[in-house]
């Protein structure tokens, strides 16, 4: 998982303009458009929009568009609940994009979509049943869990009345998710185990450095070593074109003026790291 995240991190650093800016806006608009089309065709032909859903049989017949179009199909028929869900996940997704950047958020979202597709294919092959999937239930869940980890003390109103922090909602969702998997496992329903686990692999891959970050920060705060920052800054300023450069990803304060840089007290010598790598890098040692 660590190597996967590091590869993603390097890719995002080298391609900061990768992806679709404000991705969640287009996902929400797509869901609203498809919902209205569903309402218009409900009386004439209830299956008129089935070509948007994803299933293995359609993929085997060359209907490749289903890999993407299923994310625009609402998984609820109630207009009010749909609007609430779309607003909630638009808020979560937009916040994650601001926190991570467009490139990383797009990779996170579309890796969740791809893993959902893979999980559906595996579930269909294991069970011998042609599973059909609409909506982004597991992608939304992975976004929610990532948001809850990054902003655990953010409060929302449960049922529009009860204020509750995101971390408690995440714990409740995690318990329900585990119960669902255990129930499927007990019943021998392997498809119900494979699909949700595979669909959430992107969360486990992306979340590793965040957990590692908190552990390293705790150790770092208790370190007795100190860094001579003036000497370190002077050494960095001798390099042409920038004052600070991350020793891991190579980003500089010239290219990324809003990025924060720090010096590691556990590395031999004076080595600068950006805020994404100060607690996750491999320490330099004396040869």
């Amino acid at each position: 998982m660590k190597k996967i995240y590091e590869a993603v991190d390097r890719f995002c650093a080298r391609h900061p303009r990768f992806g679709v800016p404000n991705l969640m806006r287009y996902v929400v608009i797509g869901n609203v458009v498809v919902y209205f089309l569903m309402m218009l065709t409900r009386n004439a032909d209830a299956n008129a929009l089935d070509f948007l859903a994803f299933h293995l049989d359609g993929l085997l017949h060359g209907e490749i568009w289903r890999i993407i179009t299923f994310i625009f199909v609402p998984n609820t028929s109630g207009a009010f609940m749909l609007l609430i869900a779309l607003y909630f996940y638009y808020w979560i997704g937009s916040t994650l994009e601001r926190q991570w950047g467009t490139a990383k958020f797009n990779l996170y979202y579309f890796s969740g979509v791809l893993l959902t597709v893979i999980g559906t294919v595996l579930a269909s092959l294991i069970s011998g049943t042609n599973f059909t999937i609409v909506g982004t239930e597991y992608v939304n869940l992975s976004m929610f869990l990532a948001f809850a980890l990054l902003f655990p003390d953010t409060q929302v109103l449960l049922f529009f009345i009860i204020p509750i922090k995101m971390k408690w909602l995440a714990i409740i969702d995690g318990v329900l998710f585990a119960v669902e998997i255990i129930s499927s496992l007990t019943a021998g329903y392997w498809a119900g185990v494979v699909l949700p686990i595979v669909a959430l692999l992107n969360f486990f891959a992306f979340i590793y450095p965040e957990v590692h970050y908190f552990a390293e920060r705790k150790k770092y705060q208790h370190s007795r070593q100190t860094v001579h920052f003036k000497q370190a800054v002077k050494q960095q300023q001798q390099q042409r074109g920038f004052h600070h450069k991350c020793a891991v990803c190579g980003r500089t304060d010239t290219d990324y003026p809003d990025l924060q840089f720090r010096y590691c007290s556990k590395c031999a010598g004076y080595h600068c790291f950006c805020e994404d790598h100060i607690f996750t890098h491999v320490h330099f040692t004396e040869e």
Side-chain angles (χ1 to χ4, degrees):
M1 293 296 182
K2 181 180 179 181
K3 290 184 178 180
I4 293 175
Y5 176 82
E6 289 176 346
V8 169
D9 206 33
R10 287 194 297 270
F11 177 84
C12 294
R14 294 171 183 172
H15 306 280
R17 296 185 179 180
F18 171 81
V20 181
N22 299 314
L23 174 63
M24 291 305 297
R25 177 187 302 172
Y26 300 105
V27 174
V28 168
I29 292 173
N31 273 262
V32 172
V33 170
V34 172
Y35 178 80
F36 279 113
L37 291 176
M38 290 171 63
M39 295 297 101
L40 292 173
T41 59
R42 182 173 53 183
N43 296 328
D45 184 0
N47 300 320
L49 299 177
D50 282 354
F51 70 94
L52 298 176
F54 176 81
H55 50 74
L56 179 58
D57 185 60
L59 184 63
L60 293 177
H61 283 82
E63 299 170 352
I64 302 177
W65 66 83
R66 293 178 181 269
I67 296 176
I68 293 295
T69 55
F70 80 91
I71 71 176
F72 299 113
V73 182
N75 50 16
T76 178
S77 58
F80 179 72
M81 292 305 300
L82 175 64
L83 289 176
I84 295 299
L86 290 179
Y87 173 78
F88 182 68
Y89 288 111
Y90 173 79
W91 170 58
I92 286 178
S94 300
T95 305
L96 288 176
E97 183 174 355
R98 288 194 298 270
Q99 177 72 14
W100 284 343
T102 298
K104 185 174 179 179
F105 176 71
N106 273 249
L107 285 176
Y108 187 73
Y109 190 88
F110 285 117
S111 65
V113 171
L114 179 60
L115 287 170
T116 300
V117 169
I118 293 173
T120 306
V121 170
L122 290 177
S124 299
L125 293 174
I126 291 173
S127 64
T129 303
N130 190 39
F131 279 94
T132 299
I133 187 167
V134 295
T136 52
E137 177 184 357
Y138 295 116
V139 179
N140 289 342
L141 178 58
S142 68
M143 283 199 307
F144 169 73
L145 293 176
F147 183 93
L149 185 79
L150 293 172
F151 309 100
D153 294 323
T154 300
Q155 283 192 344
V156 294
L157 291 178
L158 186 63
F159 306 121
F160 307 102
I161 300 174
I162 307 171
I164 185 172
K165 291 184 178 181
M166 295 294 286
K167 60 183 177 183
W168 300 120
L169 280 178
I171 291 174
I172 294 172
D173 271 0
V175 170
L176 295 176
F177 183 73
V179 169
E180 180 183 349
I181 292 178
I182 293 173
S183 299
S184 299
L185 191 63
T186 304
Y189 183 57
W190 295 100
V193 178
V194 173
L195 175 57
I197 290 179
V198 173
L200 288 180
L201 283 178
N202 68 326
F203 169 73
F204 297 111
F206 277 71
I207 219 60
Y208 165 81
E210 303 295 344
V211 176
H212 185 67
Y213 166 82
F214 289 123
E216 285 295 319
R217 183 172 66 176
K218 203 167 187 182
K219 290 164 53 179
Y220 184 83
Q221 288 173 342
H222 292 85
S223 174
R224 294 184 178 180
Q225 292 180 291
T226 58
V227 173
H228 299 288
F229 291 105
K230 290 185 178 180
Q231 184 176 350
V233 171
K234 184 177 180 181
Q235 178 181 341
Q236 289 289 340
Q237 288 177 342
Q238 293 175 354
Q239 303 180 51
R240 182 179 299 178
F242 54 84
H243 296 301
H244 305 291
K245 179 179 180 181
C246 179
V248 176
C249 63
R251 288 182 290 182
T252 67
D253 56 352
T254 301
D255 298 327
Y256 300 89
D258 296 330
L259 200 64
Q260 295 185 4
F261 294 84
R262 297 288 185 270
Y263 292 87
C264 180
S265 62
K266 295 186 177 181
C267 289
Y270 300 106
H271 298 280
C272 184
F273 300 94
C274 67
E275 60 191 33
D276 296 329
H277 296 112
I278 181 62
F279 297 114
T280 59
H281 66 275
V282 177
H283 296 297
F284 287 87
T285 57
E286 295 180 357
E287 297 182 357

